[in-house]
Amino acid sequence: PHDVHTLEGTILQVVVPAGPREVLFQLALSGGAKRSRVDLSFLNYDFGPCFVAKDGATMAGVPLESDEDHRYERIDLIATNRDDTDCLISTPFTREPWLDVQLNSAMIEAGGSLKIPIVFSPREVCEYAQRLEFVVNDYTKIYVDIRGRGCPLRLELTNLEMQHVDFGVVTGGATVRKTV
């Protein structure tokens, strides 16, 4: 349902042919339905240009232990339940080598929120795009579009004179620093 619906006071008439005559049954219906009120923090996200992981390695699916490892990009999608009852959220998406949605089916308490990590780790220099489907209460579908681009890791000097750095004569165990 797109809106709140109620069936209170609705009468359904059923006509059943019974030989040469018809029998009329009247059914009083009661009940209601409403759309789940689960909001996502974004419906589109572009990771932009991201460095291709060394040797095409990927971090998708590996538990995220530290923010110091930058071989992947991560964003948290926040699902907020604005309803007065708990809601179930799931995704039929299966992990790709370059994209992982770290969500098993989960309940979101009424008025609560859930962080859903989305991990992007490009394996090739190319454009990536994926439409993610999230299902609320096994019925309502919400779509999130993810984009990103793999780009090569290249280090270039802004000034060609910096190509050679002279550290001079250094004795064993001494520390010498130069800023390039």
Side-chain angles (χ1 to χ4, degrees):
H2 297 289
D3 298 317
V4 175
H5 294 281
T6 182
L7 297 175
E8 300 300 328
T10 303
I11 303 295
L12 177 66
Q13 292 186 350
V14 179
V15 178
V16 178
R21 61 187 185 103
E22 296 178 340
V23 178
L24 178 68
F25 294 95
Q26 289 190 350
L27 304 173
L29 302 178
S30 66
K34 65 179 180 175
R35 184 179 178 94
S36 301
R37 296 186 319 169
V38 172
D39 294 330
L40 301 180
S41 56
F42 57 84
L43 297 178
N44 295 292
Y45 189 80
D46 188 353
F47 282 97
C50 299
F51 294 126
V52 173
K54 183 178 180 184
D55 299 322
T58 179
M59 291 299 295
V62 176
L64 303 175
E65 297 173 4
S66 169
D67 288 337
E68 295 174 11
D69 192 345
H70 295 290
R71 291 181 286 179
Y72 58 85
E73 294 293 324
R74 172 188 164 159
I75 187 71
D76 287 332
L77 175 66
I78 309 296
T80 303
N81 183 0
R82 302 195 189 287
D83 215 334
D84 52 0
T85 58
D86 295 351
C87 289
L88 174 71
I89 188 167
S90 61
T91 182
F93 177 76
T94 54
R95 184 178 82 204
E96 298 282 343
W98 59 274
L99 186 67
D100 186 20
V101 178
Q102 298 179 341
L103 171 70
N104 294 321
S105 295
M107 291 297 289
I108 308 173
E109 294 179 9
S113 294
L114 174 70
K115 279 186 185 180
I116 304 169
I118 299 175
V119 180
F120 176 64
S121 54
R123 297 178 57 115
E124 298 176 10
V125 176
C126 66
E127 296 282 335
Y128 292 90
Q130 180 73 45
R131 173 166 268 195
L132 302 175
E133 178 182 300
F134 293 93
V135 183
V136 179
N137 290 338
D138 294 328
Y139 181 74
T140 305
K141 295 179 181 179
I142 305 172
Y143 297 96
V144 175
D145 293 318
I146 300 293
R147 298 183 55 78
R149 182 166 43 109
C151 63
L153 176 59
R154 285 182 30 190
L155 182 61
E156 296 177 355
L157 298 172
T158 57
N159 184 349
L160 290 179
E161 293 173 5
M162 295 180 188
Q163 239 176 340
H164 299 284
V165 178
D166 184 9
F167 287 97
V169 178
V170 180
T171 59
T175 302
V176 177
R177 291 184 189 191
K178 293 267 184 167
T179 303
V180 180

